[in-house]
Amino acid sequence: MAMTLSEVEERVREDVGVRLFTVLAWLPGRRVLHRAHSSHPEQYPVGGEKSVEVAAGWLDRCITAQLPYFGPDEAAVREVFADHRLIAELGCGSVINVPVVGESGTLGVLNLLDAPGAYERSQVARAGELAVLAAPALSELVQRIDEPEEGPTS
């Protein structure tokens, strides 16, 4: 039985710890990140989408190369997030982003944010292991909502 994204959040809370947790689905057809789950729906509503405001280097790293991003402090958070002020207001200043990878490639990203200095590099690997748990739910979501910008030419 596949885990829901809420259940994935609970596991992340237990195993790594998190203050702000979101799951972004990668929709390759439109090249956008679609918020599939949020621990703070008021500030970060489910269904919100990001495209241009995502740092290109971050996208290359997490989506294309399927590598985690670890930001131990506020400076690292500011570097990649346009909404870093809101993140700071929520008491967060360290981040772990881990790609969720399925058979078809990158399905999305788990975003773990906590107090400045809360995370150590050793926790990145654990977060990566937990990302696997989100793959079935994200795969289903991406198949359901991703649409190419142009229809097929047949």
Side-chain angles (χ1 to χ4, degrees), residues 28-86:
R30 292 190 290 130
R31 292 193 61 79
V32 296
L33 289 160
H34 174 94
R35 195 173 301 107
H37 178 83
S38 175
S39 64
H40 289 61
E42 216 168 281
Q43 294 93 338
Y44 292 96
V46 168
E49 293 189 347
K50 299 176 167 200
S51 53
V52 289
E53 73 267 33
V54 180
W58 182 91
L59 212 58
D60 288 342
R61 185 179 176 85
C62 288
I63 301 296
T64 311
Q66 300 176 344
L67 293 167
Y69 176 80
F70 172 55
D73 54 32
E74 289 103 324
V77 170
R78 270 196 306 275
E79 218 169 277
V80 290
F81 294 105
D83 54 347
H84 59 83
R85 283 196 186 85
L86 177 55

Side-chain angles (χ1 to χ4, degrees), residues 11-136:
R11 283 292 294 278
V12 167
R13 254 178 223 294
E14 288 165 20
D15 292 17
V16 184
V18 69
R19 188 171 291 194
L20 169 62
F21 179 75
T22 62
V23 181
L24 297 172
W26 170 242
L27 307 182
R30 292 190 290 130
R31 292 193 61 79
V32 296
L33 289 160
H34 174 94
R35 195 173 301 107
H37 178 83
S38 175
S39 64
H40 289 61
E42 216 168 281
Q43 294 93 338
Y44 292 96
V46 168
E49 293 189 347
K50 299 176 167 200
S51 53
V52 289
E53 73 267 33
V54 180
W58 182 91
L59 212 58
D60 288 342
R61 185 179 176 85
C62 288
I63 301 296
T64 311
Q66 300 176 344
L67 293 167
Y69 176 80
F70 172 55
D73 54 32
E74 289 103 324
V77 170
R78 270 196 306 275
E79 218 169 277
V80 290
F81 294 105
D83 54 347
H84 59 83
R85 283 196 186 85
L86 177 55
I87 290 169
E89 279 171 28
L90 294 170
C92 298
S94 61
V95 61
I96 297 175
N97 304 125
V98 284
V100 178
V101 180
E103 287 166 26
S104 59
T106 310
L107 297 168
V109 184
L110 299 190
N111 301 307
L112 290 64
L113 291 103
D114 209 332
Y119 293 135
E120 289 167 30
R121 192 160 290 284
S122 60
Q123 290 165 293
V124 177
R126 184 64 190 127
E129 290 165 15
L130 294 169
V132 176
L133 301 174

